[in-house]
């Protein structure tokens, strides 16, 4: 009799399946005790992912779909969704650094000019025995101090060119004095202008237009006063004008807003320049014959001093030449050999003026102003005093 109405083969298959299920459950309970679940089967990559992994650059980040807002880079617990990854085109290694097709290359940069090497400072070459004062170095020391530190003498004679100009001006004095006092005003005014400008520049004050104008005006005032009162009142005219100009200079300096030291320097330079310009009026106060001898003596003295001779020999030759010029001038004017004394004293005064114009490392402008004017200006008192004694 068949139980449950099933054939024998069907019952045997059912019993076999039940036995296999029990055996599977027993092995699962032994491997995962306490009801632990079996892990999910490992996700296999899609065929598209396998193709992408074959051609993907190891240094290139994967390109994700722009429509996916938030995705996981690794596997997710959601088995129904995985991020869609688009395969990237293979890129050649040499083409990875090329600029995009839509970009334009930058224009080539101009090569930067190579910096020029800085040459070491070399002192300027000497011209005519001296060079222009330098503005480099310590600004607190003077040019004369720098010259001494460099082993150069701060005493530089004007040279032959200023000596030639002085000789020409001295001869002009002699010619104009023989003509008359008003003709003598022409070289005298030029002498006073050169004296005023040269003295300020010799003291390192330039431009000093007000001081130069004030000193030059003092010389013109002395000339005007002397011509108005006559030669017999020459000392009073010269000294009176000098006193008035010193007082005027003092008042103007007190009104200045400069510092105390600067005002003192300006006061001394202006007073000295005005005194020299007024002192040159002595040529106008002296006798005509004395002015002729003095002009010739000064011209010969400066020319002899400019000759390239040793110091002592140059001084002796200069004094002999000035005495000889005085004798020659005395012969022209009728004074005779007594003109040697006037020529000698005028020559000594001219040497003093040259020495002053050569001091403290002067510039070429000083040589062409003070170097030209000071020999004749310094000789003016000697021409006036000795001329009154001889004539």
């Amino acid at each position: 009799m068949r139980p449950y109405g099933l054939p024998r083969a069907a019952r045997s298959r059912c019993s076999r399946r039940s036995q296999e299920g029990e055996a599977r459950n027993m092995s699962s309970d032994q491997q995962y005790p306490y009801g632990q679940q079996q892990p999910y089967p490992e996700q296999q990559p899609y065929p598209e992912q396998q193709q992408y992994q074959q051609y993907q650059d190891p240094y290139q980040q994967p390109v994700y779909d722009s429509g996916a807002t938030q995705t996981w880079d690794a596997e997710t617990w959601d088995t129904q969704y995985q991020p869609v990854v688009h395969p990237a085109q293979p890129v050649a290694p040499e083409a990875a650094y090329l600029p995009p097709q839509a970009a334009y290359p930058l224009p080539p940069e101009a090569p930067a000019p190579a910096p020029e090497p800085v040459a070491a400072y070399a002192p300027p070459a000497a011209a005519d025995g001296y060079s222009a004062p330098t503005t480099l170095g310590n600004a607190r020391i003077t040019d004369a101090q720098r010259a001494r530190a460099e082993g150069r003498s701060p005493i530089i004679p004007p040279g032959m060119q200023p000596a030639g100009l002085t000789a020409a001006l001295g001869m002009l004095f002699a010619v104009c004095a023989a003509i008359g006092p008003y003709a003598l005003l022409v070289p005298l005014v030029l002498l006073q202008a050169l004296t005023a400008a040269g003295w300020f520049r010799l003291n390192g004050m330039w431009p000093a237009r007000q001081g130069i104008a004030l000193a030059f005006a003092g010389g013109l005032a002395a000339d005007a006063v002397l011509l108005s009162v006559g030669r017999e009142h020459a000392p009073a005219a010269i000294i009176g004008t000098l006193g008035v100009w010193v007082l005027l200079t003092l008042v103007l300096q007190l009104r200045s807003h400069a510092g105390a030291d600067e005002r003192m320097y300006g006061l001394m330079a202006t007073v000295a320049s005005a005194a020299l310009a007024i002192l040159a009026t002595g040529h106008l106060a002296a006798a005509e014959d004395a002015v002729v001898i003095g002009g010739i003596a000064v011209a010969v003295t400066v020319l002899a001093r400019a000759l390239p001779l040793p110091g002592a020999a140059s001084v002796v030759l200069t004094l002999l030449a000035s005495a000889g010029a005085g004798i020659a001038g005395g012969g022209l004017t009728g004074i005779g050999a007594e003109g040697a004394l006037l020529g000698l004293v005028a020559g000594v005064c001219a040497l003093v003026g040259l020495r002053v114009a050569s001091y403290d490392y002067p510039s070429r402008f000083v040589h062409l102003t003070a170097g030209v004017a000071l020999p004749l200006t310094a000789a003016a008192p000697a021409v006036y005093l000795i001329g009154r004694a001889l004539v």
Side-chain angles (χ1 to χ4, degrees):
M1 183 175 179
R2 299 179 180 177
Y4 308 106
L6 295 176
R8 183 177 299 176
R11 289 197 303 270
S12 62
R13 286 196 298 270
C14 291
S15 60
R16 193 183 306 113
R17 290 180 180 175
S18 61
Q19 292 176 1
E20 290 178 359
E22 293 176 0
R24 187 181 300 109
N25 293 333
M26 292 178 61
S27 61
S28 175
D29 294 339
Q30 293 176 359
Q31 186 176 0
Y32 301 99
Y34 305 106
Q36 294 182 357
Q37 298 179 356
Q38 296 182 6
Y40 289 95
E42 184 178 359
Q43 298 289 338
Q44 297 296 330
Y46 294 99
E48 294 179 352
Q49 292 180 345
Q50 294 179 358
Q51 183 181 1
Y52 171 76
Q53 293 175 359
Q54 292 178 1
Y55 295 99
Q56 186 179 10
D57 190 356
Y59 298 99
Q60 187 177 2
Q61 297 295 333
V63 181
Y64 297 102
D65 186 8
S66 60
T69 55
Q70 294 182 357
T71 57
W72 292 92
D73 292 338
E75 297 178 354
T76 179
W77 290 102
D78 190 358
T79 57
Q80 301 298 327
Y81 174 79
Q82 287 293 333
V84 179
V85 180
H86 297 280
Q89 297 295 333
V91 180
E94 61 273 8
Y97 300 98
L98 293 177
Q101 296 297 330
Y104 296 95
L106 295 175
E109 297 182 359
E116 298 180 358
V118 179
Y121 169 74
D128 297 337
Y130 66 94
S131 59
T134 177
T135 57
L136 300 177
N138 190 358
R140 296 183 179 180
I141 64 176
T142 63
D143 294 325
Q145 293 173 343
R146 187 179 297 108
R148 293 189 187 95
E150 296 175 357
R152 296 180 284 110
S153 175
I155 306 298
I156 300 175
M160 184 57 70
Q161 184 178 2
L165 296 176
T166 305
L169 187 59
M171 296 305 296
L172 184 61
F173 262 86
V175 172
C176 293
I179 298 175
Y182 289 96
L184 186 60
L185 281 177
V186 177
L188 180 59
V189 170
L190 178 60
L191 177 65
Q192 291 170 337
L194 291 176
T195 301
W199 184 260
F200 273 93
R201 187 63 184 90
L202 183 62
N203 287 269
M205 297 181 180
W206 189 265
R209 299 180 182 90
Q210 295 180 357
I212 294 174
L214 183 61
F216 180 60
L220 295 180
D223 298 340
V225 172
L226 182 61
L227 289 175
S228 62
V229 299
R231 291 179 178 174
E232 60 273 11
H233 301 288
I238 294 175
I239 296 176
T241 306
L242 181 59
V244 171
W245 239 251
V246 169
L247 181 61
L248 179 61
T249 303
L250 181 61
V251 172
L252 292 178
Q253 289 297 325
L254 290 177
R255 292 172 57 88
S256 176
H257 298 286
D261 294 339
E262 186 176 354
R263 282 187 293 177
M264 181 59 67
Y265 295 153
L267 175 63
M268 297 303 297
T270 306
V271 168
S273 181
L276 290 173
I278 295 173
L279 191 64
T281 312
H283 288 288
L284 187 62
E288 290 83 354
D289 294 341
V291 176
V292 172
I293 296 174
I296 296 175
V298 171
V300 174
T301 300
V302 294
L303 289 176
R305 188 69 176 91
L307 295 176
L309 296 175
S314 178
V315 172
V316 173
L317 179 62
T318 299
L319 294 179
L320 292 177
S322 62
I327 296 175
L332 293 175
T333 57
I335 296 179
E338 296 179 356
L341 177 61
L342 178 57
L344 180 62
V345 176
V348 172
C349 294
L351 289 179
V352 173
L354 284 175
R355 180 71 174 184
V356 173
S358 305
Y359 185 69
D360 202 9
Y361 199 62
S363 65
R364 190 169 185 81
F365 183 82
V366 174
H367 286 165
L368 293 177
T369 52
V372 173
L374 286 183
L376 281 168
T377 302
V383 170
Y384 173 74
L385 294 176
I386 298 179
R388 287 190 60 180
L390 296 178
V391 178

